[in-house]
Amino acid sequence: MEAALDDEAIDPRADLMYGIDELREARPGYDQAQTYYDGKVPEVFVNARLRRALQANNIDFDLNFAKTPVNAITNRLKIASITSPDDATNKLISQIWQDNQLNLEMKNLFRRAGEFGDAYLMVLPVEDDNGAVVRVEMFYNSPQTVRIIYAEDNPRRKAFTIKRWCDGPYLRAELYYDDRTERWTTGKNSKGDRAADWLHWPADEDPESWVIEHDWGEQPVFHFRTDRPYGVPEHFGAYGPQNAITKLQATHMGTVDYQGAPQRYALTETATTDTSDLEPGDFNDGDWPEDDRGTGPRDSGEDSSLKAGPGEMWLLRGYKSVGQFDAANPDVFLDPITFNVKAMAQITETPLRMFDPQSSAQRSGVSYQEEDSPFVSKIEDRQTGYGSEAHAAFVFALRRLGIPDPVVTVDWVPARSVSSAEGWATVQAKIASGVPRRQALMEAGYRAEQVDAWLAGTDDAELQRRVDVLASLADSAQKLGAAAALGVITSEQVTGLLAGTIDDLEALATAQEEG
């Protein structure tokens, strides 16, 4: 849909109402994603009687695995640097980063993008009294209240952006265009369902301020998303397994009381059920109603006067046999939970060890790489998409601060880097086979600027020596870890040995460079 035109025949609220409808239709999906991430999904029971029984006992045991796919990716998404070859531009980038606490804001932005599939970064210039831009504010906005509407003829072009929120008894909305911002409001306690409910939202001293014109040529909203035109939550595939886990866990917890205190029974012969010679004291006080004497104790949950202990004697009158009902086998619940966790890992392309760290015991680095391959590819896709939006946001901000054509580079911490003995052995083999040193190290997961710094002034022999040292160190770390697992050496001793070795290597390298 195109932005509102100047033609008076076109309803000026057309874009507003269209955007509100889009927000309303998308909201349930975002709410559902938030519910699964927060672990507040209610258990689903086919049997209504069982559902009522558990609800009556207020059974609620959260076992939330659905958030793991989101957190696993967020933890790997770290911007290493945003830089420019121009020193003045670099200073402005550093100022923007610090002023907006982007070390925290970006992490939250990436997590929300994973949780909802979409997240928006607002970039708003702040002017002084003379109209000069003095700083730029960057902050996250939820897709539950903001939505970019893309042009139908070109889905990469933003037609306009709507932001709608509640402000006490009023509803507010802003529409962002390439050349202006429109501000709208409802009357007090209005639902805002009709176009007539929406009025211009001017400042008291300026009736025309409901439209703020600018010459930016673009909208100050940047869309971080997992897909196009709108994203899909990273844990969307976890919804089904999480439903099963929630149901299994709730039902399992409902049987725990029976495992700790099994339900018992007593069988009687018809001819021997007369217990009229028993005294009320033979059972707990209050178990014998005056009108029920001789008919047996009530089902109060405390029927037995038998005491367990050394020297105690149990006298059972009128009972043929006694016994107890076996509680449900825990494996009936735990095994399906394990299956659903594995299914969740496969569906969301998240390594199983991120759900269950114990699953990684006694595994090689090669098997990790094979398991991580789809996961790492997904992270690299996110780095590409999010990096493009981060680049656009900083270019926009720098232009507002007076840099007409800023050159900006966004670098990420590698999604995967070599740290195992097998990995460094592979690097050695590549270099020995003729692969250029720079290429081999970049394929190991290190950034180009890191590799260039390492290679500066380093000949082939020195590089080979360093690779050999790293390979030996990784191999030693792996063997020491196995020794610690067997109890031959403590983990503290392993840490001390490796730390001392690394310190010695760093001191030696420094001495060589200074020499």
Side-chain angles (χ1 to χ4, degrees):
M1 178 176 180
E2 296 293 338
L5 303 177
D6 293 333
D7 189 345
E8 294 296 334
I10 296 179
D11 184 355
R13 297 176 179 81
D15 283 352
L16 174 65
M17 299 311 298
Y18 181 80
I20 289 174
D21 288 342
E22 286 283 300
L23 278 173
R24 184 182 298 113
E25 291 177 7
R27 182 65 182 260
Y30 294 132
D31 290 345
Q32 183 184 38
Q34 183 177 31
T35 299
Y36 277 92
Y37 182 84
D38 292 339
K40 300 301 181 184
V41 183
E43 60 272 16
V44 179
F45 292 98
V46 177
N47 188 300
R49 183 177 180 184
L50 179 59
R51 179 173 62 250
R52 289 194 298 268
L54 293 177
Q55 290 175 346
N57 288 278
N58 196 28
I59 294 178
D60 183 13
F61 298 94
D62 294 335
L63 193 61
N64 184 21
F65 287 98
K67 67 189 302 181
T68 301
V70 178
N71 292 345
I73 290 180
T74 302
N75 292 337
R76 296 281 190 98
L77 291 173
K78 298 179 181 179
I79 293 179
S81 64
I82 299 180
T83 57
S84 172
D86 178 65
D87 290 340
T89 303
N90 264 333
K91 291 180 180 179
L92 283 177
I93 291 174
S94 178
Q95 178 185 339
I96 293 170
W97 190 274
Q98 294 177 8
D99 289 348
N100 292 280
Q101 299 182 326
L102 292 184
N103 56 323
L104 301 176
E105 195 71 20
M106 283 296 186
K107 182 177 181 179
N108 180 57
L109 179 73
F110 298 153
R111 183 178 73 80
R112 296 299 186 180
E115 177 182 349
F116 295 117
D118 300 289
Y120 296 97
L121 182 67
M122 291 283 186
V123 184
L124 298 179
V126 178
E127 301 178 347
D128 60 15
D129 294 337
N130 298 320
V133 176
V134 294
R135 70 177 190 277
V136 173
E137 291 189 348
M138 290 184 171
F139 50 91
Y140 158 77
N141 265 214
S142 169
Q144 295 166 306
T145 57
V146 174
R147 192 168 182 85
I148 291 178
I149 308 301
Y150 292 94
E152 293 183 359
D153 61 333
N154 183 354
R156 290 187 300 173
R157 183 170 64 83
K158 304 172 186 175
F160 66 93
T161 301
I162 181 171
K163 178 177 179 178
R164 177 180 178 271
W165 71 99
C166 181
D167 184 9
Y170 302 97
L171 294 176
R172 312 288 197 191
E174 290 182 341
L175 298 182
Y176 301 95
Y177 296 93
D178 292 346
D179 59 353
R180 70 189 186 280
T181 298
E182 295 181 2
R183 307 173 76 233
W184 297 86
T185 184
T186 63
K188 185 178 293 186
N189 298 322
S190 171
K191 294 182 179 180
D193 294 333
R194 301 174 303 157
D197 295 338
W198 291 91
L199 310 170
H200 295 162
W201 183 22
D204 294 337
E205 65 278 6
D206 186 2
E208 298 301 321
S209 64
W210 73 278
V211 175
I212 304 173
E213 296 182 351
H214 55 73
D215 58 357
W216 301 340
E218 56 183 316
Q219 299 163 34
V221 187
F222 298 88
H223 191 181
F224 291 73
R225 46 188 166 165
T226 62
D227 203 352
R228 289 174 177 258
Y230 302 101
V232 177
E234 301 286 10
H235 59 317
F236 181 79
Y239 292 1
Q242 183 62 55
N243 285 339
I245 291 170
T246 301
K247 178 175 181 177
L248 288 163
Q249 175 71 355
T251 310
H252 180 207
M253 291 298 100
T255 69
V256 167
D257 288 343
Y258 291 93
Q259 292 169 339
Q263 184 175 351
R264 296 164 292 179
Y265 62 85
L267 301 179
T268 66
E269 293 284 2
T270 303
T272 59
T273 56
D274 183 9
T275 56
S276 58
D277 59 330
L278 295 179
E279 296 296 328
D282 289 338
F283 295 94
N284 292 334
D285 292 342
D287 284 337
W288 287 84
E290 291 297 331
D291 57 344
D292 285 342
R293 182 176 296 275
T295 62
R298 292 183 301 175
D299 183 14
S300 65
E302 299 178 351
D303 297 347
S304 178
S305 62
L306 305 177
K307 298 179 181 180
E312 293 288 346
M313 184 176 73
W314 291 3
L315 180 62
L316 303 177
R317 300 174 179 173
Y319 291 114
K320 175 183 178 181
S321 64
V322 295
Q324 69 182 35
F325 295 104
D326 292 334
N329 184 348
D331 290 343
V332 173
F333 306 101
L334 299 180
D335 287 348
I337 287 178
T338 300
F339 167 80
N340 280 283
V341 170
K342 291 180 179 179
M344 189 182 297
Q346 182 175 2
I347 294 170
T348 61
E349 296 182 333
T350 306
L352 180 59
R353 69 177 185 279
M354 296 185 179
F355 295 90
D356 178 15
Q358 298 299 323
S359 66
S360 62
Q362 304 299 323
R363 294 181 59 189
S364 67
V366 175
S367 65
Y368 283 154
Q369 292 180 8
E370 293 176 353
E371 181 184 17
D372 282 1
S373 183
F375 181 62
V376 170
S377 295
K378 183 190 293 188
I379 294 171
E380 292 172 343
D381 287 343
R382 300 295 176 264
Q383 290 177 342
T384 299
Y386 296 173
S388 175
E389 288 301 304
H391 176 273
F394 269 85
V395 168
F396 176 86
L398 291 167
R399 284 175 175 165
R400 306 288 77 76
L401 291 170
I403 307 296
D405 295 304
V407 176
V408 176
T409 301
V410 179
D411 287 314
W412 296 84
V413 173
R416 172 168 54 193
S417 60
V418 170
S419 59
S420 65
E422 293 93 340
W424 281 111
T426 301
V427 174
Q428 285 180 303
K430 286 182 178 180
I431 295 175
S433 300
V435 176
R437 299 175 297 166
R438 188 175 188 274
Q439 181 65 27
L441 290 172
M442 289 183 64
E443 288 178 359
Y446 295 96
R447 302 195 309 275
E449 63 270 20
Q450 287 179 310
V451 175
D452 291 340
W454 294 341
L455 297 181
T458 303
D459 57 22
D460 289 346
E462 175 60 17
L463 177 66
Q464 186 62 46
R465 187 190 68 81
R466 294 183 182 184
V467 171
D468 291 342
V469 169
L470 290 172
S472 299
L473 183 61
D475 183 59
S476 298
Q478 189 175 43
K479 291 177 179 177
L480 286 172
L486 294 173
V488 177
I489 188 173
T490 67
S491 57
E492 290 79 9
Q493 290 173 320
V494 171
T495 301
L497 287 170
L498 291 176
T501 302
I502 293 172
D503 290 341
D504 292 342
L505 290 172
E506 289 178 345
L508 179 60
T510 301
Q512 290 178 340
E513 291 174 359
E514 292 176 351

